[in-house]
Amino acid sequence: MHRDGAFSGKRSPRRRSIVRFLLYTLAFLYVAGTVFGGIGLGWIALHPYSHAVTPGEERNARAAAQQDGVEFRAVEITAPDGARLRGWFMRPPDANGDAVILLHGVSDNRMGMYGYGKWLLQNHYMVLLPDARAHGNSGGELATYGLKEADDIHGWVDWIETAEHPRCMFGFGESMGAAQLLQSLPKEPRFCAVVAESPFATFREVAYARFGRPFHTGPWLGRTFFRPAVDAGFLYVRLHYGLNMGAASPEDAVVGTRIPVLLIHGLQDRNIPPYHSDLIQAKNPAMIVVWKVPGAVHTQAHAAAPQEFERRVLGWFAEHTAVPEPTSAPSSN
């Protein structure tokens, strides 16, 4: 018994040393992973991959427009910071006087919304299909998820108001484009109504959700274990690029807006979970309606319920179309 106790006593300090070494190693890996992982993810977020619209895609779009008697124009504006933004404008032969700007998601370009553009043309709407900054054929070094894109959208509305004088200006965006559209509302009061599918409530909240997605935990893992990595990424972007990503907040942007907003969110969306639309609606329930779509994943509400989707979107625009006041008949005297 004495020899066993002595043997046990000799091993105990060694065991403690091993445990201490493992704890220090894990702590170092956690801190290093937090710092470098946060920086890496911050850089990736601001530099998303996006392919340009090809000459073949533009030729096909022009040919389809010509076949349907649709006016087709390549258009360009310059953003306040000098970025050159490009897109397509299309007018159907039987235009109803209203126009819709269509805003695509991250790592996409205008072709991602081209199908909706053709559908809206068939329903007599003029259509503007821009590439977001740092996407497609548009300039701009960084994607900022609404911080600069809100001004870009304001610039596009200026262009179409000057060039076409629409009766009503509508907006329809998906994912990143939906979030950018909502953030433009305080700067762009000329929208008659907007539709936003699968928007994030805040950039921070969607970062939490993204960290938890591989583990199927929802946002709580991002808010706890991975929160320092999120903070590191936000700090890196703030110091290196001068961008406060905490201000990328559609839920704050809708506070006080008088522009009617229809939010569409798939109940099976794991990319940006549907509670994001709930958070946005809670900021202005009088002006915001949410439609949650059973069986729909991210930005796939139309695929899950095509007839209901088209009925709701067209109905939303029709319900909020400005009707000119009737003029009095001229006097016969």
Side-chain angles (χ1 to χ4, degrees):
M1 292 293 295
H2 175 73
R3 291 173 59 190
D4 289 344
F7 179 73
S8 176
K10 291 178 181 178
R11 292 189 60 186
S12 181
R14 183 181 180 187
R15 287 178 178 171
R16 288 197 297 268
S17 177
I18 292 172
V19 170
R20 189 180 301 113
F21 173 78
L22 290 175
L23 290 175
Y24 287 158
T25 300
L26 290 174
F28 173 79
L29 292 175
Y30 178 73
V31 172
T34 291
V35 174
F36 292 106
I39 290 173
L41 291 171
W43 189 93
I44 291 170
L46 267 59
H47 299 84
Y49 169 78
S50 179
H51 58 279
V53 177
T54 67
E57 288 172 329
E58 180 154 348
R59 282 195 303 270
N60 291 339
R62 284 185 180 275
Q66 184 176 13
Q67 183 177 356
D68 295 335
V70 171
E71 177 188 348
F72 183 101
R73 275 186 270 162
V75 294
E76 178 180 311
I77 64 171
T78 301
D81 65 350
R84 298 172 68 183
L85 309 175
R86 298 178 174 90
W88 294 331
F89 171 78
M90 290 177 276
R91 176 203 288 273
D94 49 357
N96 62 11
D98 298 331
V100 185
I101 182 171
L102 296 167
L103 305 171
H104 62 78
V106 68
S107 297
D108 205 348
N109 60 34
R110 73 192 84 159
M111 293 302 298
M113 299 298 282
Y114 177 67
Y116 287 129
K118 293 181 68 176
W119 165 62
L120 289 166
L121 288 167
Q122 292 166 2
N123 285 277
H124 317 300
Y125 289 92
M126 295 180 285
V127 168
L128 178 62
L129 284 161
D131 288 335
R133 64 169 52 233
H135 287 78
N137 295 49
S138 284
E141 295 181 0
L142 305 174
T144 67
Y145 300 88
L147 297 182
K148 293 187 176 182
E149 290 84 354
D151 286 324
D152 298 343
I153 294 167
H154 178 69
W156 281 118
V157 175
D158 274 346
W159 178 87
I160 199 168
E161 288 279 353
T162 301
E164 301 298 329
H165 309 289
R167 175 180 58 174
C168 252
M169 188 73 215
F170 297 107
F172 175 25
E174 285 192 335
S175 192
M176 178 189 74
Q180 293 168 349
L181 177 62
L182 295 176
Q183 289 174 85
S184 76
L185 298 185
K187 300 182 178 183
E188 189 42 75
R190 289 171 289 184
F191 283 117
C192 290
V194 299
V195 176
E197 182 180 4
S198 303
F200 61 78
T202 68
F203 193 74
R204 175 173 286 276
E205 187 63 30
V206 78
Y208 293 153
R210 294 289 172 84
F211 271 108
R213 185 174 60 179
F215 306 96
H216 306 285
T217 62
W220 74 264
L221 196 62
R223 293 185 186 130
T224 54
F225 184 80
F226 289 112
R227 180 166 187 148
V230 174
D231 291 340
F234 273 55
L235 181 60
Y236 164 74
V237 170
R238 184 73 174 266
L239 294 177
H240 192 73
Y241 298 106
L243 296 172
N244 177 16
M245 298 310 298
S249 177
E251 71 172 14
D252 288 341
V254 301
V255 174
T257 187
R258 303 307 301 167
I259 298 169
V261 177
L262 172 62
L263 301 180
I264 301 174
H265 227 119
L267 285 173
Q268 302 305 313
D269 193 339
R270 298 294 177 262
N271 193 348
I272 301 177
Y275 75 85
H276 281 257
S277 282
D278 294 332
L279 293 174
I280 296 169
Q281 185 192 35
K283 295 293 186 175
N284 194 346
M287 299 304 298
I288 301 175
V289 173
V290 178
W291 174 41
K292 294 183 180 177
V293 187
V297 296
H298 188 62
T299 70
Q300 293 298 306
H302 185 268
Q307 293 181 343
E308 181 72 1
F309 182 97
E310 294 179 13
R311 183 187 69 80
R312 284 181 180 261
V313 172
L314 292 177
W316 189 254
F317 290 161
E319 179 183 349
H320 298 100
T321 296
V323 179
E325 292 292 332
T327 57
S328 301
S331 174
S332 58
N333 294 333

